[in-house]
Amino acid sequence: MHSASWSFRTVALIFIGCIASQAAFSQTVKFARYEADSGPRTFRPINPPGCARAETTAAELNPGGGAATNAFVPCDTAPANVAPVNPCSSSSLRPSGCNAPKDLVAGDLGPMGKAGQTILRARERVLEILQTENGCSDWFRKKDPNPAATFRTLNFALDGKGEEYVRESRDLGPLQVFRSPYVARVYQGDGSNATITLNRRGAFFSGLSMVMEVPKDGGPGNFQGYRVLYVGPYTGNTLHAQVATLLHEFGHLLDLLPVDEGDQDGKSVHNTYEVLRYCRAEVESKVKRGTLAAVR
């Protein structure tokens, strides 16, 4: 009810204060626009209409007239500084005009010829698995919150002088023991930017290998025909075998699998089946072409 008894002078002072407020806001906006257009961006709070700092006077805001008067009061809340959003950041969808990060590893595989294309095909399939929600990617996330990003950093090398033959031995009487050429190797727990070395004569690239009998008492070996190579249950030189191989080696790089160097006591085979315990459905699922076009 007190508003009904305001004097004319009081109303005039309030009206003058409103005009000064409008002038202050207009100049503040122009100043902010000039800074944005003329140099590096800085973040300064811009007071909304009707707000001013406590020390700001009407004479400062309106140099053309009137005596200085502290006609403005501080705002109730301080304006927030909001950083600009980068539309091309990895956390947002990439609109047209944004360039995807270059896949340097994929570029290195091209000059390797047929072997490089074989690795690239298996690598793309592994990335499809790791960057989607499934039991396999969940397993790798136990050690790495973003396994696809880590796998994308891995390099590949070819061992042209690796083991070539399946070795047959009879260490336990009539029992035959066959040891296939190694397929791939990595340094345990090496993590991102590591290198997976693939044996050119192993099951990643070959489905058959000659068998060499290793005499118990030494001496030269004897060739005993051919034997099919496998990676777990998969025949060598197939996409399933190749994908299982890369997932197996990735498990070593993340320390999800124990060391199995030399395949002592069948540890390597056991580790392959441990990978397939979580990843078999994805390894054997139909390959989805074109999924990686936006991230390569």
PDB file of all heavy atoms in Angstrom, residues 72-109:
ATOM      1  N   PHE A  72      23.070   2.822  -9.095  1.00  0.00           N
ATOM      2  CA  PHE A  72      22.896   1.394  -9.402  1.00  0.00           C
ATOM      3  C   PHE A  72      23.352   0.551  -8.225  1.00  0.00           C
ATOM      4  O   PHE A  72      24.248   0.926  -7.476  1.00  0.00           O
ATOM      5  CB  PHE A  72      23.703   1.014 -10.650  1.00  0.00           C
ATOM      6  CG  PHE A  72      23.194   1.717 -11.883  1.00  0.00           C
ATOM      7  CD1 PHE A  72      23.723   2.943 -12.254  1.00  0.00           C
ATOM      8  CD2 PHE A  72      22.180   1.171 -12.646  1.00  0.00           C
ATOM      9  CE1 PHE A  72      23.246   3.598 -13.368  1.00  0.00           C
ATOM     10  CE2 PHE A  72      21.707   1.821 -13.760  1.00  0.00           C
ATOM     11  CZ  PHE A  72      22.243   3.041 -14.120  1.00  0.00           C
ATOM     12  N   VAL A  73      22.752  -0.596  -8.124  1.00  0.00           N
ATOM     13  CA  VAL A  73      23.088  -1.521  -7.048  1.00  0.00           C
ATOM     14  C   VAL A  73      23.607  -2.803  -7.658  1.00  0.00           C
ATOM     15  O   VAL A  73      23.305  -3.122  -8.808  1.00  0.00           O
ATOM     16  CB  VAL A  73      21.833  -1.819  -6.177  1.00  0.00           C
ATOM     17  CG1 VAL A  73      21.375  -0.567  -5.476  1.00  0.00           C
ATOM     18  CG2 VAL A  73      20.728  -2.410  -7.041  1.00  0.00           C
ATOM     19  N   PRO A  74      24.409  -3.564  -6.924  1.00  0.00           N
ATOM     20  CA  PRO A  74      24.938  -4.828  -7.479  1.00  0.00           C
ATOM     21  C   PRO A  74      23.815  -5.805  -7.784  1.00  0.00           C
ATOM     22  O   PRO A  74      22.770  -5.792  -7.158  1.00  0.00           O
ATOM     23  CB  PRO A  74      25.849  -5.357  -6.353  1.00  0.00           C
ATOM     24  CG  PRO A  74      26.115  -4.179  -5.481  1.00  0.00           C
ATOM     25  CD  PRO A  74      24.892  -3.306  -5.583  1.00  0.00           C
ATOM     26  N   CYS A  75      24.057  -6.682  -8.771  1.00  0.00           N
ATOM     27  CA  CYS A  75      23.085  -7.732  -9.093  1.00  0.00           C
ATOM     28  C   CYS A  75      23.097  -8.788  -7.994  1.00  0.00           C
ATOM     29  O   CYS A  75      24.080  -8.952  -7.288  1.00  0.00           O
ATOM     30  CB  CYS A  75      23.432  -8.385 -10.429  1.00  0.00           C
ATOM     31  SG  CYS A  75      23.401  -7.207 -11.802  1.00  0.00           S
ATOM     32  N   ASP A  76      21.982  -9.519  -7.898  1.00  0.00           N
ATOM     33  CA  ASP A  76      21.878 -10.540  -6.865  1.00  0.00           C
ATOM     34  C   ASP A  76      22.857 -11.678  -7.092  1.00  0.00           C
ATOM     35  O   ASP A  76      23.402 -12.254  -6.163  1.00  0.00           O
ATOM     36  CB  ASP A  76      20.444 -11.084  -6.812  1.00  0.00           C
ATOM     37  CG  ASP A  76      19.480 -10.021  -6.299  1.00  0.00           C
ATOM     38  OD1 ASP A  76      19.937  -9.121  -5.567  1.00  0.00           O
ATOM     39  OD2 ASP A  76      18.293 -10.109  -6.643  1.00  0.00           O
ATOM     40  N   THR A  77      23.065 -12.079  -8.373  1.00  0.00           N
ATOM     41  CA  THR A  77      23.936 -13.208  -8.672  1.00  0.00           C
ATOM     42  C   THR A  77      24.971 -12.794  -9.691  1.00  0.00           C
ATOM     43  O   THR A  77      24.685 -12.022 -10.608  1.00  0.00           O
ATOM     44  CB  THR A  77      23.133 -14.402  -9.236  1.00  0.00           C
ATOM     45  OG1 THR A  77      22.438 -13.981 -10.396  1.00  0.00           O
ATOM     46  CG2 THR A  77      22.163 -14.930  -8.210  1.00  0.00           C
ATOM     47  N   ALA A  78      26.160 -13.346  -9.551  1.00  0.00           N
ATOM     48  CA  ALA A  78      27.238 -13.034 -10.500  1.00  0.00           C
ATOM     49  C   ALA A  78      27.004 -13.772 -11.804  1.00  0.00           C
ATOM     50  O   ALA A  78      26.584 -14.928 -11.812  1.00  0.00           O
ATOM     51  CB  ALA A  78      28.590 -13.443  -9.910  1.00  0.00           C
ATOM     52  N   PRO A  79      27.231 -13.100 -12.964  1.00  0.00           N
ATOM     53  CA  PRO A  79      27.057 -13.768 -14.246  1.00  0.00           C
ATOM     54  C   PRO A  79      28.071 -14.880 -14.423  1.00  0.00           C
ATOM     55  O   PRO A  79      29.206 -14.776 -13.987  1.00  0.00           O
ATOM     56  CB  PRO A  79      27.299 -12.650 -15.283  1.00  0.00           C
ATOM     57  CG  PRO A  79      28.121 -11.640 -14.550  1.00  0.00           C
ATOM     58  CD  PRO A  79      27.708 -11.712 -13.120  1.00  0.00           C
ATOM     59  N   ALA A  80      27.645 -15.966 -15.053  1.00  0.00           N
ATOM     60  CA  ALA A  80      28.521 -17.117 -15.246  1.00  0.00           C
ATOM     61  C   ALA A  80      29.332 -16.963 -16.514  1.00  0.00           C
ATOM     62  O   ALA A  80      28.847 -16.448 -17.515  1.00  0.00           O
ATOM     63  CB  ALA A  80      27.679 -18.394 -15.318  1.00  0.00           C
ATOM     64  N   ASN A  81      30.577 -17.416 -16.474  1.00  0.00           N
ATOM     65  CA  ASN A  81      31.421 -17.431 -17.658  1.00  0.00           C
ATOM     66  C   ASN A  81      31.217 -18.755 -18.382  1.00  0.00           C
ATOM     67  O   ASN A  81      31.500 -19.816 -17.831  1.00  0.00           O
ATOM     68  CB  ASN A  81      32.898 -17.289 -17.269  1.00  0.00           C
ATOM     69  CG  ASN A  81      33.178 -15.939 -16.646  1.00  0.00           C
ATOM     70  OD1 ASN A  81      32.445 -14.988 -16.896  1.00  0.00           O
ATOM     71  ND2 ASN A  81      34.219 -15.858 -15.824  1.00  0.00           N
ATOM     72  N   VAL A  82      30.713 -18.738 -19.591  1.00  0.00           N
ATOM     73  CA  VAL A  82      30.417 -19.950 -20.349  1.00  0.00           C
ATOM     74  C   VAL A  82      31.385 -20.054 -21.512  1.00  0.00           C
ATOM     75  O   VAL A  82      31.435 -19.176 -22.372  1.00  0.00           O
ATOM     76  CB  VAL A  82      28.965 -19.938 -20.876  1.00  0.00           C
ATOM     77  CG1 VAL A  82      28.680 -21.205 -21.664  1.00  0.00           C
ATOM     78  CG2 VAL A  82      28.000 -19.792 -19.722  1.00  0.00           C
ATOM     79  N   ALA A  83      32.189 -21.122 -21.538  1.00  0.00           N
ATOM     80  CA  ALA A  83      33.145 -21.315 -22.625  1.00  0.00           C
ATOM     81  C   ALA A  83      32.412 -21.762 -23.883  1.00  0.00           C
ATOM     82  O   ALA A  83      31.407 -22.465 -23.812  1.00  0.00           O
ATOM     83  CB  ALA A  83      34.181 -22.367 -22.232  1.00  0.00           C
ATOM     84  N   PRO A  84      32.889 -21.365 -25.046  1.00  0.00           N
ATOM     85  CA  PRO A  84      32.237 -21.788 -26.287  1.00  0.00           C
ATOM     86  C   PRO A  84      32.378 -23.282 -26.507  1.00  0.00           C
ATOM     87  O   PRO A  84      33.369 -23.889 -26.120  1.00  0.00           O
ATOM     88  CB  PRO A  84      33.006 -21.005 -27.371  1.00  0.00           C
ATOM     89  CG  PRO A  84      34.335 -20.719 -26.748  1.00  0.00           C
ATOM     90  CD  PRO A  84      34.069 -20.529 -25.290  1.00  0.00           C
ATOM     91  N   VAL A  85      31.361 -23.896 -27.114  1.00  0.00           N
ATOM     92  CA  VAL A  85      31.360 -25.323 -27.405  1.00  0.00           C
ATOM     93  C   VAL A  85      32.004 -25.557 -28.757  1.00  0.00           C
ATOM     94  O   VAL A  85      31.653 -24.909 -29.735  1.00  0.00           O
ATOM     95  CB  VAL A  85      29.923 -25.885 -27.395  1.00  0.00           C
ATOM     96  CG1 VAL A  85      29.921 -27.354 -27.789  1.00  0.00           C
ATOM     97  CG2 VAL A  85      29.316 -25.706 -26.017  1.00  0.00           C
ATOM     98  N   ASN A  86      32.957 -26.483 -28.795  1.00  0.00           N
ATOM     99  CA  ASN A  86      33.604 -26.835 -30.063  1.00  0.00           C
ATOM    100  C   ASN A  86      32.764 -27.889 -30.763  1.00  0.00           C
ATOM    101  O   ASN A  86      32.680 -29.023 -30.299  1.00  0.00           O
ATOM    102  CB  ASN A  86      35.010 -27.371 -29.802  1.00  0.00           C
ATOM    103  CG  ASN A  86      35.728 -27.738 -31.087  1.00  0.00           C
ATOM    104  OD1 ASN A  86      35.193 -27.539 -32.176  1.00  0.00           O
ATOM    105  ND2 ASN A  86      36.934 -28.268 -30.946  1.00  0.00           N
ATOM    106  N   PRO A  87      32.114 -27.573 -31.883  1.00  0.00           N
ATOM    107  CA  PRO A  87      31.235 -28.548 -32.540  1.00  0.00           C
ATOM    108  C   PRO A  87      31.987 -29.724 -33.124  1.00  0.00           C
ATOM    109  O   PRO A  87      31.390 -30.724 -33.487  1.00  0.00           O
ATOM    110  CB  PRO A  87      30.565 -27.718 -33.650  1.00  0.00           C
ATOM    111  CG  PRO A  87      31.538 -26.611 -33.918  1.00  0.00           C
ATOM    112  CD  PRO A  87      32.192 -26.302 -32.603  1.00  0.00           C
ATOM    113  N   CYS A  88      33.317 -29.631 -33.260  1.00  0.00           N
ATOM    114  CA  CYS A  88      34.095 -30.713 -33.847  1.00  0.00           C
ATOM    115  C   CYS A  88      34.811 -31.537 -32.797  1.00  0.00           C
ATOM    116  O   CYS A  88      35.704 -32.310 -33.122  1.00  0.00           O
ATOM    117  CB  CYS A  88      35.120 -30.153 -34.835  1.00  0.00           C
ATOM    118  SG  CYS A  88      34.366 -29.346 -36.264  1.00  0.00           S
ATOM    119  N   SER A  89      34.463 -31.352 -31.503  1.00  0.00           N
ATOM    120  CA  SER A  89      35.132 -32.128 -30.476  1.00  0.00           C
ATOM    121  C   SER A  89      34.692 -33.571 -30.544  1.00  0.00           C
ATOM    122  O   SER A  89      33.657 -33.916 -31.081  1.00  0.00           O
ATOM    123  CB  SER A  89      34.806 -31.548 -29.088  1.00  0.00           C
ATOM    124  OG  SER A  89      33.451 -31.728 -28.790  1.00  0.00           O
ATOM    125  N   SER A  90      35.508 -34.454 -29.957  1.00  0.00           N
ATOM    126  CA  SER A  90      35.231 -35.888 -30.019  1.00  0.00           C
ATOM    127  C   SER A  90      33.981 -36.265 -29.253  1.00  0.00           C
ATOM    128  O   SER A  90      33.409 -37.320 -29.477  1.00  0.00           O
ATOM    129  CB  SER A  90      36.425 -36.671 -29.457  1.00  0.00           C
ATOM    130  OG  SER A  90      36.686 -36.275 -28.129  1.00  0.00           O
ATOM    131  N   SER A  91      33.537 -35.401 -28.313  1.00  0.00           N
ATOM    132  CA  SER A  91      32.363 -35.731 -27.504  1.00  0.00           C
ATOM    133  C   SER A  91      31.054 -35.324 -28.162  1.00  0.00           C
ATOM    134  O   SER A  91      29.995 -35.561 -27.634  1.00  0.00           O
ATOM    135  CB  SER A  91      32.484 -35.049 -26.137  1.00  0.00           C
ATOM    136  OG  SER A  91      32.526 -33.645 -26.301  1.00  0.00           O
ATOM    137  N   SER A  92      31.114 -34.690 -29.311  1.00  0.00           N
ATOM    138  CA  SER A  92      29.899 -34.258 -29.986  1.00  0.00           C
ATOM    139  C   SER A  92      29.808 -34.871 -31.366  1.00  0.00           C
ATOM    140  O   SER A  92      30.786 -35.347 -31.914  1.00  0.00           O
ATOM    141  CB  SER A  92      29.889 -32.727 -30.102  1.00  0.00           C
ATOM    142  OG  SER A  92      30.994 -32.287 -30.857  1.00  0.00           O
ATOM    143  N   LEU A  93      28.601 -34.900 -31.913  1.00  0.00           N
ATOM    144  CA  LEU A  93      28.442 -35.385 -33.275  1.00  0.00           C
ATOM    145  C   LEU A  93      29.122 -34.433 -34.230  1.00  0.00           C
ATOM    146  O   LEU A  93      29.053 -33.219 -34.077  1.00  0.00           O
ATOM    147  CB  LEU A  93      26.936 -35.483 -33.615  1.00  0.00           C
ATOM    148  CG  LEU A  93      26.143 -36.505 -32.809  1.00  0.00           C
ATOM    149  CD1 LEU A  93      24.675 -36.415 -33.195  1.00  0.00           C
ATOM    150  CD2 LEU A  93      26.658 -37.910 -33.044  1.00  0.00           C
ATOM    151  N   ARG A  94      29.795 -34.965 -35.232  1.00  0.00           N
ATOM    152  CA  ARG A  94      30.563 -34.137 -36.151  1.00  0.00           C
ATOM    153  C   ARG A  94      29.664 -33.616 -37.258  1.00  0.00           C
ATOM    154  O   ARG A  94      29.244 -34.375 -38.116  1.00  0.00           O
ATOM    155  CB  ARG A  94      31.709 -34.942 -36.761  1.00  0.00           C
ATOM    156  CG  ARG A  94      32.740 -35.336 -35.736  1.00  0.00           C
ATOM    157  CD  ARG A  94      33.899 -36.059 -36.395  1.00  0.00           C
ATOM    158  NE  ARG A  94      34.889 -36.370 -35.397  1.00  0.00           N
ATOM    159  CZ  ARG A  94      35.845 -35.547 -35.005  1.00  0.00           C
ATOM    160  NH1 ARG A  94      35.938 -34.361 -35.543  1.00  0.00           N
ATOM    161  NH2 ARG A  94      36.713 -35.890 -34.082  1.00  0.00           N
ATOM    162  N   PRO A  95      29.362 -32.284 -37.254  1.00  0.00           N
ATOM    163  CA  PRO A  95      28.563 -31.735 -38.339  1.00  0.00           C
ATOM    164  C   PRO A  95      29.389 -31.634 -39.608  1.00  0.00           C
ATOM    165  O   PRO A  95      30.588 -31.845 -39.617  1.00  0.00           O
ATOM    166  CB  PRO A  95      28.179 -30.345 -37.813  1.00  0.00           C
ATOM    167  CG  PRO A  95      29.269 -30.000 -36.864  1.00  0.00           C
ATOM    168  CD  PRO A  95      29.748 -31.292 -36.269  1.00  0.00           C
ATOM    169  N   SER A  96      28.730 -31.270 -40.696  1.00  0.00           N
ATOM    170  CA  SER A  96      29.431 -31.126 -41.952  1.00  0.00           C
ATOM    171  C   SER A  96      30.448 -30.004 -41.844  1.00  0.00           C
ATOM    172  O   SER A  96      30.197 -28.976 -41.257  1.00  0.00           O
ATOM    173  CB  SER A  96      28.388 -30.884 -43.012  1.00  0.00           C
ATOM    174  OG  SER A  96      28.556 -29.800 -43.686  1.00  0.00           O
ATOM    175  N   GLY A  97      31.629 -30.232 -42.410  1.00  0.00           N
ATOM    176  CA  GLY A  97      32.706 -29.255 -42.345  1.00  0.00           C
ATOM    177  C   GLY A  97      33.753 -29.591 -41.313  1.00  0.00           C
ATOM    178  O   GLY A  97      34.806 -28.975 -41.269  1.00  0.00           O
ATOM    179  N   CYS A  98      33.495 -30.574 -40.435  1.00  0.00           N
ATOM    180  CA  CYS A  98      34.476 -30.989 -39.431  1.00  0.00           C
ATOM    181  C   CYS A  98      35.277 -32.167 -39.979  1.00  0.00           C
ATOM    182  O   CYS A  98      34.706 -33.119 -40.505  1.00  0.00           O
ATOM    183  CB  CYS A  98      33.787 -31.413 -38.131  1.00  0.00           C
ATOM    184  SG  CYS A  98      32.961 -30.049 -37.292  1.00  0.00           S
ATOM    185  N   ASN A  99      36.585 -32.114 -39.830  1.00  0.00           N
ATOM    186  CA  ASN A  99      37.451 -33.171 -40.321  1.00  0.00           C
ATOM    187  C   ASN A  99      37.682 -34.205 -39.228  1.00  0.00           C
ATOM    188  O   ASN A  99      38.058 -33.857 -38.113  1.00  0.00           O
ATOM    189  CB  ASN A  99      38.798 -32.598 -40.771  1.00  0.00           C
ATOM    190  CG  ASN A  99      38.646 -31.674 -41.966  1.00  0.00           C
ATOM    191  OD1 ASN A  99      37.825 -31.921 -42.833  1.00  0.00           O
ATOM    192  ND2 ASN A  99      39.446 -30.615 -41.997  1.00  0.00           N
ATOM    193  N   ALA A 100      37.476 -35.493 -39.560  1.00  0.00           N
ATOM    194  CA  ALA A 100      37.750 -36.574 -38.614  1.00  0.00           C
ATOM    195  C   ALA A 100      39.260 -36.715 -38.440  1.00  0.00           C
ATOM    196  O   ALA A 100      40.021 -36.442 -39.366  1.00  0.00           O
ATOM    197  CB  ALA A 100      37.152 -37.887 -39.132  1.00  0.00           C
ATOM    198  N   PRO A 101      39.715 -37.119 -37.236  1.00  0.00           N
ATOM    199  CA  PRO A 101      41.147 -37.289 -37.027  1.00  0.00           C
ATOM    200  C   PRO A 101      41.706 -38.350 -37.965  1.00  0.00           C
ATOM    201  O   PRO A 101      41.086 -39.379 -38.208  1.00  0.00           O
ATOM    202  CB  PRO A 101      41.247 -37.735 -35.561  1.00  0.00           C
ATOM    203  CG  PRO A 101      39.888 -38.240 -35.208  1.00  0.00           C
ATOM    204  CD  PRO A 101      38.927 -37.456 -36.043  1.00  0.00           C
ATOM    205  N   LYS A 102      42.895 -38.101 -38.494  1.00  0.00           N
ATOM    206  CA  LYS A 102      43.502 -39.008 -39.458  1.00  0.00           C
ATOM    207  C   LYS A 102      43.990 -40.267 -38.760  1.00  0.00           C
ATOM    208  O   LYS A 102      44.604 -40.219 -37.698  1.00  0.00           O
ATOM    209  CB  LYS A 102      44.665 -38.305 -40.155  1.00  0.00           C
ATOM    210  CG  LYS A 102      45.243 -39.100 -41.314  1.00  0.00           C
ATOM    211  CD  LYS A 102      46.297 -38.284 -42.032  1.00  0.00           C
ATOM    212  CE  LYS A 102      46.860 -39.064 -43.220  1.00  0.00           C
ATOM    213  NZ  LYS A 102      47.897 -38.279 -43.936  1.00  0.00           N
ATOM    214  N   ASP A 103      43.687 -41.423 -39.350  1.00  0.00           N
ATOM    215  CA  ASP A 103      44.099 -42.711 -38.810  1.00  0.00           C
ATOM    216  C   ASP A 103      45.471 -43.042 -39.385  1.00  0.00           C
ATOM    217  O   ASP A 103      45.592 -43.579 -40.486  1.00  0.00           O
ATOM    218  CB  ASP A 103      43.069 -43.780 -39.187  1.00  0.00           C
ATOM    219  CG  ASP A 103      43.292 -45.079 -38.422  1.00  0.00           C
ATOM    220  OD1 ASP A 103      44.431 -45.299 -37.954  1.00  0.00           O
ATOM    221  OD2 ASP A 103      42.348 -45.877 -38.311  1.00  0.00           O
ATOM    222  N   LEU A 104      46.526 -42.731 -38.649  1.00  0.00           N
ATOM    223  CA  LEU A 104      47.886 -42.919 -39.138  1.00  0.00           C
ATOM    224  C   LEU A 104      48.245 -44.389 -39.259  1.00  0.00           C
ATOM    225  O   LEU A 104      48.991 -44.788 -40.156  1.00  0.00           O
ATOM    226  CB  LEU A 104      48.871 -42.215 -38.206  1.00  0.00           C
ATOM    227  CG  LEU A 104      48.697 -40.699 -38.071  1.00  0.00           C
ATOM    228  CD1 LEU A 104      49.720 -40.134 -37.091  1.00  0.00           C
ATOM    229  CD2 LEU A 104      48.833 -40.018 -39.427  1.00  0.00           C
ATOM    230  N   VAL A 105      47.723 -45.230 -38.352  1.00  0.00           N
ATOM    231  CA  VAL A 105      48.037 -46.657 -38.398  1.00  0.00           C
ATOM    232  C   VAL A 105      47.479 -47.283 -39.668  1.00  0.00           C
ATOM    233  O   VAL A 105      48.155 -48.058 -40.350  1.00  0.00           O
ATOM    234  CB  VAL A 105      47.499 -47.372 -37.146  1.00  0.00           C
ATOM    235  CG1 VAL A 105      47.720 -48.877 -37.249  1.00  0.00           C
ATOM    236  CG2 VAL A 105      48.160 -46.827 -35.887  1.00  0.00           C
ATOM    237  N   ALA A 106      46.241 -46.945 -40.011  1.00  0.00           N
ATOM    238  CA  ALA A 106      45.647 -47.477 -41.238  1.00  0.00           C
ATOM    239  C   ALA A 106      46.465 -47.049 -42.456  1.00  0.00           C
ATOM    240  O   ALA A 106      46.643 -47.819 -43.407  1.00  0.00           O
ATOM    241  CB  ALA A 106      44.197 -47.003 -41.368  1.00  0.00           C
ATOM    242  N   GLY A 107      46.980 -45.824 -42.426  1.00  0.00           N
ATOM    243  CA  GLY A 107      47.809 -45.361 -43.527  1.00  0.00           C
ATOM    244  C   GLY A 107      49.105 -46.148 -43.642  1.00  0.00           C
ATOM    245  O   GLY A 107      49.610 -46.375 -44.753  1.00  0.00           O
ATOM    246  N   ASP A 108      49.659 -46.596 -42.516  1.00  0.00           N
ATOM    247  CA  ASP A 108      50.897 -47.378 -42.538  1.00  0.00           C
ATOM    248  C   ASP A 108      50.680 -48.787 -43.077  1.00  0.00           C
ATOM    249  O   ASP A 108      51.619 -49.421 -43.586  1.00  0.00           O
ATOM    250  CB  ASP A 108      51.491 -47.474 -41.132  1.00  0.00           C
ATOM    251  CG  ASP A 108      52.017 -46.134 -40.631  1.00  0.00           C
ATOM    252  OD1 ASP A 108      52.284 -45.254 -41.483  1.00  0.00           O
ATOM    253  OD2 ASP A 108      52.139 -45.966 -39.404  1.00  0.00           O
ATOM    254  N   LEU A 109      49.471 -49.310 -42.963  1.00  0.00           N
ATOM    255  CA  LEU A 109      49.201 -50.681 -43.417  1.00  0.00           C
ATOM    256  C   LEU A 109      49.081 -50.772 -44.935  1.00  0.00           C
ATOM    257  O   LEU A 109      49.319 -51.837 -45.510  1.00  0.00           O
ATOM    258  CB  LEU A 109      47.920 -51.201 -42.758  1.00  0.00           C
ATOM    259  CG  LEU A 109      48.003 -51.430 -41.246  1.00  0.00           C
ATOM    260  CD1 LEU A 109      46.629 -51.789 -40.691  1.00  0.00           C
ATOM    261  CD2 LEU A 109      49.012 -52.519 -40.914  1.00  0.00           C
TER     262      LEU A 109
END
